[in-house]
């Protein structure tokens, strides 16, 4: 018998070895006072189905031999119980917790937020709905360790511990969002927070499951577009809200139903808003001309009370369906995004549009005035598929396959004409095999991603490229008494292909036709990297409700196309960008990639947690040592179309500063914490904050590192009312580079009132939020346009939600 026959036989044996002796387990779930717990979720580990306890805390569930039950309920610690066909009746006692426990889907091993070794935050339920903003960055920025890039309120991406862009993976149900938000800060993320069931933020490297793009963390948006539980009846929700700061109206709806194991899902949102209002602020000098309607003296400062070109007009629709059997789940979903949004502080640097270029959808042009001369039109079609089979045998528990295809297009329109179009077509597949070998429980898998990026137009500063990665990974855990140990590794083959101009393609007046011919030469560039990641960690539950977690990880990341291949004007940031692969000689940029090394991170995380009783806390300490850290450095050069690259001087005031990606060793370290105290049954006080220090090894500061923050929250419940008051202080940021300015401190106060009302079969909630109560002027240090786009002023948000 040859080796292939042996292997085939082993696979067939494994797949067919689960016991055919099924049994029914009856159980009773109570609290420490022996009172029944209703609606506790009972889930057989390795299966997709789950049930809930009745009003008396009873349940009945079918199992295979040697199963594990996972019992969970909000505000209680999860319980796990091993059962077999002889376990006719079981009794389960759940211990109350001072914080909500939520299963983290991005963990891959069905862990809840309190069992995770890596630090994690989860927004879900009403808390997520109340904090929901048009962008992920603005929705999440209040969490410890999380900030926002803030290119205006409609284009704002999450920053985790000072890292953003290509180092923070943004996923939807575990698959890459596949937009262009990592190409530039003016490109919005394509994730809609209103339709999300929960949003998970994994701090620190999460490269084992999600690849080198997750070297700084993961933001996973979880929705129910592919239902994984059978839906027994027609349910739905609807919401309307109005914001005064931008005269914005938001509509959202969701409907779900099912019959005979077939399930259906629909959700949609519509959001429109005008330019947002701010406290009065002084415009930078280069903005004065655009806002000045009269002659002003040289010493006068022009001011504004709004940020021009920050409107939004967005629509999303999502459909999904699934079949959910006892062991088998199959589903598919389709989503469509159609969004127009203004790009603030957009510069016009000597561009002439070609008259033959027209917008593909004329109705967009008609909707916006000439004053809103620069805006983005985003279209995205996204398909997702899911196939899951639960064998639940002695070795393999579940085989799970997720597939995704995304067709993304981002066009930037100036005066009704397309200036630049960015396209990205992505195909992704993730195969997970959950298994158990002896006392080790884990996940092994294969991850494939293919991204075809293209840019065409005056701002196509990054050439078209194709990026492909293949990876295998394994993650294993074992419990030793009160200590759970977790080990993992990932091997990733990463390849990037592009056609690069041999020289810069800018017309200098003194050049001859022969030189212009050289500019047309193209280099077929291809580069492969092998990225290795590994991690080890442990969590010690040294007493019920209290734990210490420690993890060490090593991660490698290859440069993205923007970091490696950029060569052109990035109008949104007002800079000329060059990638790692370029050198500047005689006023020209030449593509000469030599010895491009991977970015290598060694990260240490230490967490202290308490989540029982009236007092609880989470404190995370982290240290991240990064070799070959990629960042944009001011070269001291300027660029103009006539002379190319030259040394900066006073006579070049109208020229564009040149920033180039370089790699140097860096270190980032800091603390983040979240503590709460339940004063009584109605009142709770919370304190939270974070601090991040980011420097190069030569003691220079890294650019645009978020300011430290410290906040407090008071929540009070009175009958059907819930009141919340939050204050957050952002400290002065003076750890800056030579080409940055200090950002002054500011404090924001927000208030919220919610009223619960039931009318027949509909549960309703009325709410009013008052953001920035004191109308404080605040600037975001991590923003590329901080001086031109301060935070919004006082805002009243009024809304109503209904559930049926």
């Amino acid at each position: 018998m040859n080796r292939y026959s042996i292997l085939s036989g082993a696979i067939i044996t494994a797949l067919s070895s689960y016991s055919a002796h099924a049994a029914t387990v009856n159980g009773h779930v109570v609290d420490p006072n022996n009172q029944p717990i209703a609606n506790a979720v009972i889930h057989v580990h390795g299966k997709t189905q789950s049930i809930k306890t009745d009003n008396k805390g009873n349940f009945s569930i079918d199992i295979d031999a040697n199963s594990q039950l996972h019992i969970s309920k909000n505000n209680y610690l999860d319980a796990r119980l091993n059962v077999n066909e002889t376990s006719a009746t079981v009794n389960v006692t759940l211990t109350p917790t001072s914080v909500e426990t939520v299963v983290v889907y991005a963990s891959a091993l069905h862990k809840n937020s309190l069992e995770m070794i890596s630090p994690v935050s989860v927004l879900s339920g009403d808390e997520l709905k109340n904090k929901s903003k048009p962008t992920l960055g603005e929705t999440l920025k209040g969490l410890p360790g999380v900030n926002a890039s803030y290119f205006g309120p409609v284009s704002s991406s999450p920053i985790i511990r000072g890292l953003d862009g290509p180092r923070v993976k943004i996923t939807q149900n575990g698959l890459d969002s596949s937009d262009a938000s990592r190409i530039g800060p003016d490109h919005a993320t394509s994730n809609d927070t209103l339709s999300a069931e929960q949003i998970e933020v994994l701090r620190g490297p999460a490269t084992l499951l999600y690849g080198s793009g997750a070297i700084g963390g993961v933001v996973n948006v979880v929705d129910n577009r592919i239902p994984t539980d059978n839906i027994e009846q027609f349910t739905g929700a609807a919401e309307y809200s109005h914001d005064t700061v931008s005269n914005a109206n938001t509509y959202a709806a969701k409907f779900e139903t099912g019959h005979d194991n077939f399930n259906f899902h629909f959700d949609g949102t519509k959001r429109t808003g005008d330019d947002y209002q701010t406290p009065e602020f002084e415009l930078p000098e280069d903005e004065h001309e655009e806002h000045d309607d009269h002659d002003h003296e040289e010493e006068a400062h022009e001011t504004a009370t709004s940020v021009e070109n920050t409107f939004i007009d967005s629509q999303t629709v999502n459909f999904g369906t699934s079949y959910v059997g006892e062991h088998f789940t199959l589903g598919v979903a389709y989503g469509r995004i159609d969004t127009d949004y203004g790009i603030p502080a957009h510069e016009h640097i000597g561009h002439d549009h070609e008259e033959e270029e027209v917008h593909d959808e004329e109705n967009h042009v008609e909707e916006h005035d000439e004053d809103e001369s620069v805006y983005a039109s985003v279209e995205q079609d996204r398909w997702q598929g899911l196939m899951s089979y639960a064998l639940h045998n002695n070795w393999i528990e579940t085989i799970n396959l997720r597939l995704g295809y995304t067709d993304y297009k981002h066009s930037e329109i100036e005066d009704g004409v397309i200036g630049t179009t960015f396209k990205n077509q992505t195909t992704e597949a993730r195969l997970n095999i959950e298994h158990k070998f002896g006392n080790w429980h884990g996940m092994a898998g294969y991850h494939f991603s293919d991204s075809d990026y293209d840019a065409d137009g005056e701002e196509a500063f990054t050439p078209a490229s194709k990026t492909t990665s293949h990876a295998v990974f394994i993650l294993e855990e074992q419990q030793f008494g009160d200590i759970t140990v977790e080990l993992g590794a990932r091997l990733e083959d990463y390849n990037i292909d592009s056609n690069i101009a041999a020289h810069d393609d800018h017309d200098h007046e003194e050049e001859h036709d022969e030189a212009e011919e050289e500019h047309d030469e193209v280099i077929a560039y291809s580069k492969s990297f092998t990225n290795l990641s590994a991690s080890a960690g442990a969590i010690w539950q040294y007493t019920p409700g209290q734990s210490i977690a420690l993890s060490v990880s090593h991660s490698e990341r290859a440069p993205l196309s923007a970091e490696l291949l950029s060569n052109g004007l990035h109008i949104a940031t007002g800079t000329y960008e060059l990638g790692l692969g370029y050198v500047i000689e005689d006023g020209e940029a030449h593509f000469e990639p030599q010895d491009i090394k991977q970015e290598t991170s060694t990260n240490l995380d230490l967490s202290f947690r308490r989540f029982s009783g009236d007092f609880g806390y989470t404190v995370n300490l982290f240290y991240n040592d990064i070799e070959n850290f990629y960042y944009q450095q001011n070269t001291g050069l300027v660029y103009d179309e006539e002379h190319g690259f030259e040394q900066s001087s006073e006579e070049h005031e109208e020229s564009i500063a040149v920033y180039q990606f370089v790699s140097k060793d860096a270190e980032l370290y800091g603390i983040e914490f979240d503590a709460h105290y339940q004063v009584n049954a109605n009142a709770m006080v919370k304190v939270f904050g974070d601090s991040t220090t980011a420097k190069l090894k030569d003691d220079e500061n890294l650019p645009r590192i978020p300011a430290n923050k410290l906040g407090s929250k008071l929540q009070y419940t009175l009958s059907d009312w819930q009141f919340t008051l939050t204050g957050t202080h952002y400290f002065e940021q003076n750890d800056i580079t030579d080409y940055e300015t200090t950002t002054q401190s500011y404090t924001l106060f927000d208030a919220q009132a919610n009223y619960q009302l039931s009318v027949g079969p509909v549960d309703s909630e009325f709410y009013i939020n008052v953001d920035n109560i004191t109308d404080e002027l605040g600037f975001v240090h991590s923003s590329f346009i901080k001086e031109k786009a301060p935070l919004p002023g006082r805002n009243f948000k009024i809304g109503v939600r209904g559930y049926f």
Side-chain angles (χ1 to χ4, degrees):
M1 182 179 295
N2 60 35
R3 60 180 179 176
Y4 299 106
S5 299
I6 295 174
L7 179 60
S8 300
I11 294 174
I12 293 172
T13 300
L15 294 178
S16 60
S17 62
Y18 66 89
S19 173
H21 302 290
T24 299
V25 172
N26 299 307
H28 189 52
V29 181
V30 297
D31 64 17
N33 297 321
N34 206 34
Q35 295 300 307
I37 298 178
N39 293 317
V41 177
I42 316 297
H43 173 254
V44 179
H45 188 61
K47 289 188 177 182
T48 56
Q49 281 284 60
S50 61
I51 62 170
K52 293 184 178 181
T53 56
D54 61 20
N55 291 333
K56 297 181 178 180
N58 297 320
F59 69 88
S60 180
I61 192 167
D62 293 331
I63 65 164
D64 298 321
N66 300 320
S67 300
Q68 184 185 78
L69 297 183
H70 181 197
I71 304 98
S72 60
K73 170 73 174 177
N74 287 347
N75 302 317
Y76 290 87
L77 297 178
D78 289 13
R80 299 181 187 272
L81 184 65
N82 293 323
V83 293
N84 54 45
E85 63 268 25
T86 64
S87 305
T89 304
V90 296
N91 294 306
V92 181
T93 301
L94 296 183
T95 303
T97 178
S98 56
V99 294
E100 184 178 3
T101 60
V102 182
V103 173
V104 181
Y105 292 90
S107 70
L109 294 178
H110 317 289
K111 290 180 175 293
N112 66 45
S113 51
L114 304 181
E115 299 171 326
M116 293 283 291
I117 293 176
S118 300
V120 63
S121 295
V122 180
L123 283 181
S124 61
D126 287 339
E127 183 182 15
L128 171 59
K129 302 301 181 187
N130 293 334
K131 290 185 176 181
S132 179
K133 295 288 194 294
T135 63
L136 273 179
E138 294 305 289
T139 300
L140 301 174
K141 69 178 183 181
L143 297 175
V146 183
N147 289 277
S149 60
Y150 200 75
F151 208 91
V154 294
S155 181
S156 183
S157 297
I159 298 175
I160 301 178
R161 295 176 172 177
L163 301 176
D164 66 346
R167 298 180 182 90
V168 174
K169 177 77 77 172
I170 300 176
T171 64
Q172 185 177 356
N173 301 318
L175 297 179
D176 198 318
S177 295
S178 304
D179 50 39
S181 59
R182 281 173 282 181
I183 300 299
D186 56 319
H187 294 205
T189 60
S190 60
N191 304 89
D192 181 54
T193 58
L194 280 174
S195 61
E197 300 286 325
Q198 66 186 48
I199 301 178
E200 306 162 349
V201 180
L202 278 66
R203 302 179 186 86
T207 56
L208 295 182
L209 294 176
Y210 297 98
S212 57
I215 200 169
V218 167
V219 176
N220 185 40
V221 180
V222 181
D223 56 50
N224 198 41
R225 293 173 189 175
I226 302 179
T228 54
D229 280 317
N230 280 321
I231 303 170
E232 303 297 337
Q233 57 185 353
F234 180 76
T235 62
E239 179 175 0
Y240 166 76
S241 66
H242 176 78
D243 289 84
T244 61
V245 77
S246 60
N247 193 33
N249 294 293
T250 302
Y251 309 83
K254 180 179 75 171
F255 304 101
E256 293 182 334
T257 188
H259 182 69
D260 286 345
N261 298 105
F262 287 94
N263 309 281
F264 305 92
H265 170 98
F266 165 81
D267 69 73
T269 62
K270 168 71 174 177
R271 179 184 282 113
T272 60
D274 301 328
D275 296 347
Y276 73 91
Q277 305 298 306
T278 71
E280 187 176 31
F281 69 101
E282 292 184 359
L283 291 164
E285 290 184 5
D286 60 352
E287 294 286 283
H288 290 180
E289 277 189 12
E290 298 178 18
H291 293 263
D292 195 11
D293 295 327
H294 58 278
D295 293 334
H296 57 81
E297 297 180 3
E298 185 176 347
E299 64 273 10
H301 291 284
E302 194 74 15
T303 62
T305 57
S306 67
V307 178
E308 291 188 357
N309 214 26
T310 53
F311 70 88
I312 186 171
D313 184 356
S314 174
Q315 303 87 34
T316 68
V317 291
N318 299 282
F319 302 89
T321 184
S322 67
Y323 171 83
V324 180
E326 183 180 1
H327 289 271
F328 182 70
T329 297
L330 181 66
V332 65
Y334 167 75
R336 169 75 179 182
I337 297 173
D338 192 346
T339 299
D340 291 353
Y341 66 90
I343 303 176
H346 199 281
E347 306 288 353
H348 298 268
I349 310 175
H351 287 327
D352 294 319
H353 298 294
E354 296 179 11
E355 292 300 325
E356 64 269 22
E357 291 185 281
V358 294
H359 197 305
D360 291 337
E361 298 183 26
E362 294 180 0
N363 60 312
H364 287 315
V365 177
E366 295 172 358
E367 290 175 1
H368 306 295
D369 298 330
E370 288 186 2
D371 291 340
E372 298 172 340
S373 58
V374 183
Y375 68 96
S377 179
V378 175
E379 299 173 1
Q380 178 177 283
D381 294 289
R382 183 175 176 88
W383 291 90
Q384 289 190 38
L386 168 67
M387 183 175 67
S388 178
Y389 187 70
L391 291 88
H392 205 70
N393 64 6
N394 295 328
W395 294 353
I396 299 177
E397 294 183 329
T398 306
I399 299 174
N400 186 288
L401 176 64
R402 282 193 178 272
L403 302 170
Y405 174 77
T406 303
D407 189 354
Y408 173 92
K409 184 171 73 171
H410 171 118
S411 297
E412 295 187 356
I413 292 100
E414 302 183 37
D415 299 320
V417 179
I418 293 178
T420 309
T421 297
F422 303 87
K423 297 179 181 179
N424 192 26
Q425 292 181 326
T426 302
T427 303
E428 188 175 7
R430 179 185 295 277
L431 175 66
N432 295 337
I433 301 176
E434 190 174 351
H435 57 264
K436 188 173 183 180
F437 297 128
N439 293 322
W440 288 92
H441 171 234
M443 179 81 68
Y446 165 75
H447 184 200
F448 167 79
S449 177
D450 180 87
S451 176
D452 193 351
Y453 167 80
D454 190 18
D456 182 30
E458 296 161 349
E459 296 184 31
F461 58 94
T462 301
S465 62
K466 185 172 183 178
T467 305
T468 305
S469 67
H470 300 266
V472 291
F473 58 87
I474 188 167
L475 184 65
E476 302 291 331
E477 68 171 8
Q478 183 175 347
Q479 189 166 348
F480 301 90
D482 295 328
I483 298 177
T484 301
V485 174
E486 186 177 281
L487 304 173
R490 178 187 177 103
L491 186 64
E492 179 181 84
D493 177 70
Y494 179 96
N495 186 79
I496 183 169
D497 293 286
S498 183
N499 292 320
I500 312 297
H503 303 273
D504 67 347
D505 56 358
H506 312 294
D507 295 326
H508 301 169
E509 289 183 358
E510 69 274 11
E511 292 179 347
H512 300 292
D513 292 339
E514 298 93 310
E516 293 178 357
E517 291 179 6
E518 287 184 354
H519 293 167
D520 295 331
E521 295 178 10
V522 172
I523 300 172
Y525 177 74
S526 180
K527 178 68 174 177
S528 293
F529 299 87
T530 300
N531 299 318
L532 175 64
S533 300
S535 71
I539 184 169
W540 177 28
Q541 304 277 355
Y542 60 90
T543 191
Q546 299 187 54
S547 65
I548 298 175
L550 176 67
S551 64
V552 180
S553 61
H554 168 90
S555 305
E556 296 178 347
R557 183 177 78 89
L560 291 185
S561 60
E563 296 170 308
L564 181 61
L565 308 176
S566 292
N567 180 15
L569 288 169
H570 191 173
I571 309 302
T573 60
T575 62
Y576 191 103
E577 293 190 7
L578 278 177
L580 289 161
Y582 283 90
V583 295
I584 299 175
E585 295 178 354
D586 300 326
E588 293 186 345
H590 302 270
F591 187 65
E592 298 178 7
Q594 296 178 357
D595 196 24
I596 303 295
K597 296 180 179 179
Q598 291 140 295
E599 187 177 272
T600 303
S601 167
T602 301
N603 189 84
L604 177 68
D605 259 297
L606 177 62
S607 299
F608 301 89
R609 303 168 189 164
R610 175 190 172 98
F611 38 85
S612 62
D614 294 330
F615 175 63
Y617 57 79
T618 298
V619 179
N620 304 318
L621 302 169
F622 67 91
Y623 176 80
N624 197 355
D625 187 295
I626 305 178
E627 296 182 9
N628 305 314
F629 182 84
Y630 309 142
Y631 75 103
Q632 286 180 300
Q633 183 183 62
N634 191 331
T635 63
L637 301 174
V638 295
Y639 168 83
D640 71 42
E641 294 183 346
E642 182 177 352
H643 300 105
F645 301 98
E646 295 182 322
Q647 285 293 328
S648 177
S649 64
E650 292 184 1
E651 62 186 39
H652 293 130
E653 290 182 0
E654 301 300 320
S655 299
I656 307 302
V658 178
Y659 283 70
Q660 182 167 20
F661 282 96
V662 296
S663 63
K664 294 183 180 180
D665 295 344
E667 59 180 359
L668 297 87
Y669 52 89
I671 183 173
E672 55 208 16
F673 64 90
D674 186 338
H676 62 272
Y677 177 64
Q678 191 75 39
V679 180
N680 54 44
N682 298 325
M684 184 185 72
V685 177
K686 179 181 289 189
V687 178
F688 58 90
D690 59 52
S691 173
T692 299
T693 300
K695 293 179 176 290
L696 297 173
K697 290 293 183 69
D698 61 11
D699 210 34
E700 293 182 31
N701 295 310
L702 284 171
R704 289 180 298 279
I705 297 302
N708 300 333
K709 67 174 180 279
L710 177 65
S712 181
K713 175 180 178 181
L714 172 63
Q715 185 171 294
Y716 186 79
T717 302
L718 179 64
S719 185
D720 293 324
W721 286 92
Q722 184 181 78
F723 303 94
T724 304
L725 176 65
T726 305
T728 308
H729 179 74
Y730 292 85
F731 291 86
E732 178 184 78
Q733 179 56 289
N734 53 18
D735 293 333
I736 58 177
T737 63
D738 293 338
Y739 47 91
E740 290 182 289
T741 58
T742 297
T743 301
Q744 300 300 317
S745 63
Y746 57 93
T747 303
L748 301 179
F749 290 98
D750 305 320
Q752 182 177 15
N754 295 57
Y755 178 70
Q756 304 286 340
L757 175 67
S758 294
V759 180
V762 179
D763 293 327
S764 301
E765 179 180 21
F766 298 90
Y767 62 90
I768 179 170
N769 298 353
V770 187
D771 299 328
N772 194 2
I773 297 173
T774 60
D775 204 30
E776 178 88 348
L777 178 62
F779 296 91
V780 181
H781 186 76
S782 52
S783 173
F784 277 86
I785 56 171
K786 71 168 186 176
E787 295 178 347
K788 302 176 182 179
L791 290 169
R794 185 185 299 111
N795 176 43
F796 292 88
K797 180 179 180 179
I798 302 171
V800 59
R801 303 186 189 102
Y803 305 89
F804 56 90

